[in-house]
Amino acid sequence: MTTSPPPITEPDPSALVCPSDKVGPCAICQRKTHKYGSGGSPLCQWCMASVQQQWGTNVRFNSTRG
């Protein structure tokens, strides 16, 4: 059984435990999430779960840093 995500206006739990300068919008749903710095992700946990369900748990993202 899966639980539905809370409204977009509620931040991802990761955004509540990191410094505010590391918070940014999820690349898919625009929910506030821990996006920048160590441990950051471009997707909130709900969007990442959806992507992993579609593509598998080995889904990762490439860094765009040179």
Side-chain angles (χ1 to χ4, degrees):
M1 181 170 116
T2 60
T3 61
S4 62
I8 300 296
T9 55
E10 293 187 27
D12 186 72
S14 66
L16 302 175
V17 296
C18 73
S20 62
D21 64 334
K22 306 290 186 207
V23 174
C26 169
I28 295 176
C29 72
Q30 306 303 306
R31 177 189 313 274
K32 289 182 182 179
T33 189
H34 178 187
K35 187 169 184 173
Y36 306 106
S38 179
S41 172
L43 303 177
C44 69
Q45 70 179 14
W46 293 282
C47 290
M48 181 61 89
S50 174
V51 168
Q52 286 181 333
Q53 187 176 27
Q54 182 180 4
W55 294 95
T57 57
N58 289 331
V59 161
R60 297 288 184 259
F61 53 90
N62 291 330
S63 174
T64 58
R65 294 180 182 208

